[in-house]
Amino acid sequence: MLLTSVFGSPVCSPFDASNPPKKVLEVACGTGLYSSMCHDYFSGLGYPHVSFTGIDITPLSADLQKQGIDWKFVQHDLRTLPLPFQDDEFDLVVSTDISIILPFSGYQERLVAEELRILKPGGMLEIRESDHVLRTLLRQPPKAPNISQEAQEKVDATATYPLFSNTAFAVTQNPYVREYNTWIQRVLDNRRLCAVPCTLVKSMLLQETDHLDVIGTRRVAVMLGEVRWEREGVGDPSNERSASPSDRKAACGTLRKQREDSNGAFGALTADQSAIRKTALLTIVQLIESLEPLLKEASGKVQAEWDRWWAGMMVDLFEQKGTFNGECMEIGAWWGRKR
């Protein structure tokens, strides 16, 4: 849901709108929400008959056929390969946040090779991930290099920040987030899982260049709430000595428009932008809640101590603007077309 809101579509990989995928596989499908959103998306383009298949270890999804979706569920443990599909069977294969269940080293590399086997030539493999350790975006970053106008318009509309090699991060200053980072890192390390998958997906796909071309990515930071330097204007190009006169003039015009639109408050968020940030924060809180037994064990806390920590965290994050320094959730989508 968050990825779709941020990127504006459930499908980030490019495709010919006049010839959309006919058969889609959702790997680790869970409730099948992604397939349902994809069906709505393609139906909106005039293609309501795309076929969807979901595969997962447990049947959690509803019967999407009752919603008018061409849907089939296959129960299978993704650690057991090969997958129960024919060669060249799908036009689009998508996985979301699979790093929380499969190690990158070995398992995911073999799974990608298997996904390429069942993907048709010309079909797209798309991997969508989010990092589980949270960092702080130091300041309002400059415009990402080589970003398309469409992508820039989307990050502007969603108040997110495109990430690239020079993006400046720091360790979080929030004590609750810092403790969570320590515990989730310990939990995932003990299970050979990756806490920062966004740093590894592209390199994994680049190892498959014999089988993939048109490798691309979209990676952004979603702030977890209102941020101090957005309101104060830190990082504003109009204040940068290195900015050209034309850049400063354009920046001043942009800021003037922002102030006019927000009754004079620099960096005020729209309702939709605020909703995206609240969704990101809720996603993190829900992850902590779902992993409570593992995180509690990693913390060494007894139940009463954990309950006090949880209550303090909720007050800090939701009532005291605990992410005001720039704590963010890093998410991304990576794709490649099979040769």
Side-chain angles (χ1 to χ4, degrees):
M1 181 71 75
L2 179 62
L3 276 161
T4 299
S5 298
V6 169
F7 293 139
S9 162
V11 181
C12 293
S13 50
F15 67 92
D16 183 354
S18 65
N19 185 30
K22 297 177 177 62
K23 198 168 184 181
V24 177
L25 174 65
E26 181 184 0
V27 179
C29 64
T31 63
L33 177 61
Y34 175 81
S35 291
S36 180
M37 290 190 297
C38 265
H39 168 77
D40 292 343
Y41 174 68
F42 287 126
S43 294
L45 295 176
Y47 302 100
H49 303 301
V50 177
S51 172
F52 294 91
T53 299
I55 184 170
D56 212 331
I57 192 171
T58 304
L60 298 176
S61 62
D63 185 0
L64 300 185
Q65 290 185 353
K66 294 180 179 179
Q67 302 177 24
I69 302 174
D70 184 353
W71 164 261
K72 178 176 70 173
F73 174 77
V74 176
Q75 187 169 357
H76 184 83
D77 188 341
L78 296 174
R79 295 169 297 182
T80 303
L81 301 177
L83 298 177
F85 303 112
Q86 300 297 315
D87 294 356
D88 306 336
E89 186 170 343
F90 297 96
D91 302 292
L92 174 64
V93 175
V94 181
S95 66
T96 302
D97 287 330
I98 205 169
S99 61
I100 200 72
I101 59 174
L102 286 179
F104 260 85
S105 178
Y107 281 106
Q108 285 213 44
E109 293 168 352
R110 293 199 299 272
L111 179 60
V112 166
E114 184 64 10
E115 289 169 335
L116 290 174
R117 176 187 68 80
I118 63 179
L119 192 63
K120 293 179 181 177
M124 281 288 186
L125 172 63
E126 184 170 325
I127 299 174
R128 303 148 67 89
E129 281 288 353
S130 56
D131 282 350
H132 311 300
V133 167
L134 305 178
R135 298 189 290 178
T136 295
L137 197 59
L138 277 180
R139 57 185 292 279
Q140 190 169 2
K143 181 178 178 180
N146 303 319
I147 188 172
S148 69
Q149 181 178 350
E150 180 184 0
Q152 185 63 50
E153 289 174 353
K154 193 60 189 177
V155 297
D156 290 342
T158 56
T160 55
Y161 295 94
L163 301 181
F164 56 104
S165 57
N166 293 329
T167 303
F169 285 101
V171 175
T172 177
Q173 299 178 43
N174 183 287
Y176 291 99
V177 176
R178 197 161 54 236
E179 287 180 310
Y180 157 75
N181 280 346
T182 299
W183 302 334
I184 190 67
Q185 184 78 61
R186 189 175 300 160
V187 166
L188 296 179
D189 283 349
N190 289 342
R191 289 156 181 80
R192 298 173 53 216
L193 299 174
C194 182
V196 285
C198 291
T199 63
L200 300 178
V201 177
K202 187 173 183 178
S203 61
M204 182 173 63
L205 292 183
L206 288 173
Q207 295 176 22
E208 299 289 345
T209 51
D210 288 345
H211 307 287
L212 288 173
D213 63 8
V214 193
I215 294 175
T217 180
R218 292 180 66 182
R219 186 178 170 193
V220 301
V222 185
M223 313 313 291
L224 300 183
E226 190 176 55
V227 180
R228 176 181 289 111
W229 45 253
E230 287 179 324
R231 281 205 170 275
E232 295 173 349
V234 176
D236 168 15
S238 66
N239 295 330
E240 295 288 343
R241 293 182 179 179
S242 60
S244 68
S246 60
D247 286 342
R248 288 196 294 270
K249 183 178 180 181
C252 287
T254 299
L255 296 180
R256 190 180 304 111
K257 182 67 164 58
Q258 287 178 328
R259 292 190 182 102
E260 290 170 355
D261 291 346
S262 57
N263 296 320
F266 176 80
L269 301 174
T270 67
D272 288 343
Q273 291 168 343
S274 295
I276 287 174
R277 294 190 178 189
K278 187 171 183 180
T279 299
L281 181 58
L282 287 172
T283 299
I284 296 300
V285 170
Q286 288 167 358
L287 175 64
I288 295 174
E289 186 176 30
S290 67
L291 296 177
E292 176 183 328
L294 299 177
L295 294 173
K296 184 175 66 176
E297 180 183 8
S299 72
K301 296 181 183 296
V302 299
Q303 188 63 50
E305 293 172 326
W306 176 267
D307 291 343
R308 285 194 296 272
W309 181 87
W310 173 268
M313 179 198 69
M314 295 294 283
V315 170
D316 181 84
L317 296 182
F318 288 97
E319 298 179 19
Q320 298 178 352
K321 295 185 178 180
T323 60
F324 200 51
N325 289 311
E327 285 78 6
C328 64
M329 182 179 184
E330 298 170 55
I331 64 175
W334 296 258
W335 59 85
R337 185 176 65 193
K338 184 176 178 180
R339 296 182 186 276

